[in-house]
Amino acid sequence: MTTLKAKLQDDLNAAIRERDELRSSTLRLTITAITKEEVAGTTKRELSDDEVQKVIAKEAKKRREAADAFEQGGRPESAERERAEGLVLDAYLPKQLGDEELDGIVAEAVEEARAAGAEGPRAMGAVMKIVNPKVAGRAEGGRIAAAVKKLLAG
């Protein structure tokens, strides 16, 4: 078992012992999503910590989107629950990059792409290929794309 998955399982057991309903249900759903990912495809496999982290990030994103949807639908208590679950999951993810850090990495990538001959808005794909490995898991794709578009347009 990967170390991150084992930590999730240990934390789930602790949450159950402490009768922490929010943490235990959130961790149960996340472990289920990880297991589902492990058995997806033709053969069962063990996920690496990076792959487990991607599953956790995907689950956290689902919580944020659901919270927004509940907020727009006039269900603030459900939105609050989703946000709380998102905070539980955020503890297992790497610290997110700030806007300044992200803009700095994107600026370097834009210069690198320009040096390679990519110009203007069509350089988006080339810049994204450079940026994504550098910020993997520390910024959402939408934030990255917005930063790249802003710099390419400017």
Side-chain angles (χ1 to χ4, degrees), residues 8 40 50 59-61 65 84 92 97 103 108 110 119 138 153:
L8 286 168
D50 288 341
E59 290 295 310
K61 183 178 181 189
E65 291 171 351
Y92 298 96
L97 290 173
D103 288 343
E108 287 174 20
V110 167
E119 276 299 321
R138 297 185 300 155

Side-chain angles (χ1 to χ4, degrees), residues 6-25:
K7 181 175 177 14
L8 286 168
Q9 193 65 54
D10 292 344
D11 290 354
L12 171 61
N13 292 338
I16 291 170
R17 274 195 299 277
E18 295 164 9
R19 300 198 188 292
D20 185 343
E21 194 275 329
L22 175 74
R23 280 183 64 78
S24 62
S25 69

Side-chain angles (χ1 to χ4, degrees), residues 103-115 126-128 130-131 134 148:
D103 288 343
I105 292 171
V106 169
E108 287 174 20
V110 167
E111 290 307 313
E112 207 175 307
R114 283 196 177 127
V127 175
M128 291 296 283
I130 297 168
V131 173
K134 293 180 180 177
V148 170

Side-chain angles (χ1 to χ4, degrees), residues 22-136:
L22 175 74
R23 280 183 64 78
S24 62
S25 69
T26 303
L27 293 176
R28 266 194 191 106
L29 287 169
T30 305
I31 290 169
T32 301
I34 292 166
T35 304
K36 195 172 175 183
E37 189 69 30
E38 286 177 335
V39 297
T42 54
T43 58
K44 186 180 187 312
R45 63 193 178 91
E46 192 77 27
L47 294 182
S48 69
D49 274 353
D50 288 341
E51 292 170 315
V52 169
Q53 214 164 41
K54 284 178 185 167
V55 172
I56 295 171
K58 193 172 9 171
E59 290 295 310
K61 183 178 181 189
K62 281 183 195 173
R63 299 307 189 287
R64 282 191 297 278
E65 291 171 351
D68 292 342
F70 281 133
E71 199 68 50
Q72 290 171 359
R75 295 181 52 195
E77 57 286 330
S78 296
E80 196 53 47
R81 166 78 184 204
E82 292 292 335
R83 280 196 194 89
E85 288 180 4
L87 289 174
V88 168
L89 294 176
D90 285 344
Y92 298 96
L93 295 171
K95 185 180 172 296
Q96 296 293 297
L97 290 173
D99 289 336
E100 298 83 28
E101 288 176 292
L102 181 60
D103 288 343
I105 292 171
V106 169
E108 287 174 20
V110 167
E111 290 307 313
E112 207 175 307
R114 283 196 177 127
E119 276 299 321
R122 291 188 304 276
M124 179 92 178
V127 175
M128 291 296 283
K129 281 182 188 166
I130 297 168
V131 173
N132 278 334
K134 293 180 180 177
V135 298

